Amino acid sequence: MDSKDSSSLDSVFTEAGKLSESGQFYDSEKLYTHFIEELTSGSDSNRPEMAPMLALAYNNRGQQLYRQVEFKRAIADYTQAIQYQDDLAIAFYNREIGRASCRERV
């Protein structure tokens, strides 16, 4: 990935965060999805230095899904975040909140 691509992806990640802060959860989710797809496609996808950004992107997309009451999908994203970075405490916390929310809806 060249620096132009990296800069563009940084902009996508930043914009997704801004959309989330303004309550535009669906649009934010779509940008995080784009970010994840770009990082996981191609030959660069298995580079270890990508793991922290992917972990954050999955966690953040999970938050957008949670806010849309898509608890099971959110839990899947939190789990994916943990697989990329197994010490990302917020992903563990969010996953348990998601699991509790699923139990409450039953």
Side-chain angles (χ1 to χ4, degrees):
M1 178 182 319
D2 64 30
S3 62
K4 181 181 176 189
D5 291 340
S6 177
S7 175
S8 175
L9 279 178
D10 288 345
S11 296
V12 169
F13 193 88
T14 300
E15 182 62 23
K18 289 178 182 176
L19 289 171
S20 176
E21 289 172 7
S22 68
Q24 298 177 56
F25 307 128
Y26 178 80
D27 293 333
S28 178
E29 172 206 342
K30 295 304 168 200
L31 283 181
Y32 282 122
T33 297
H34 174 70
F35 182 87
I36 290 165
E37 288 172 349
E38 288 296 315
L39 278 186
T40 57
S41 66
S43 60
D44 289 341
S45 64
N46 291 323
R47 290 183 16 211
E49 63 269 20
M50 300 282 201
M53 284 304 297
L54 281 165
L56 286 176
Y58 274 107
N59 180 74
N60 293 355
R61 186 176 70 177
Q63 284 296 95
Q64 307 324 300
L65 292 165
Y66 181 88
R67 291 172 174 149
Q68 295 173 70
V69 194
E70 295 278 347
F71 300 134
K72 289 182 181 180
R73 290 180 59 209
I75 292 166
D77 271 5
Y78 300 140
T79 300
Q80 190 68 35
I82 292 163
Q83 289 176 350
Y84 276 105
Q85 186 176 347
D86 63 5
D87 63 348
L88 187 62
I90 191 67
F92 283 98
Y93 175 81
N94 288 338
R95 186 171 67 175
E96 291 311 308
I97 296 296
R99 287 176 173 166
S101 296
C102 278
R103 287 189 295 274
E104 289 172 8
R105 289 183 53 104
V106 174

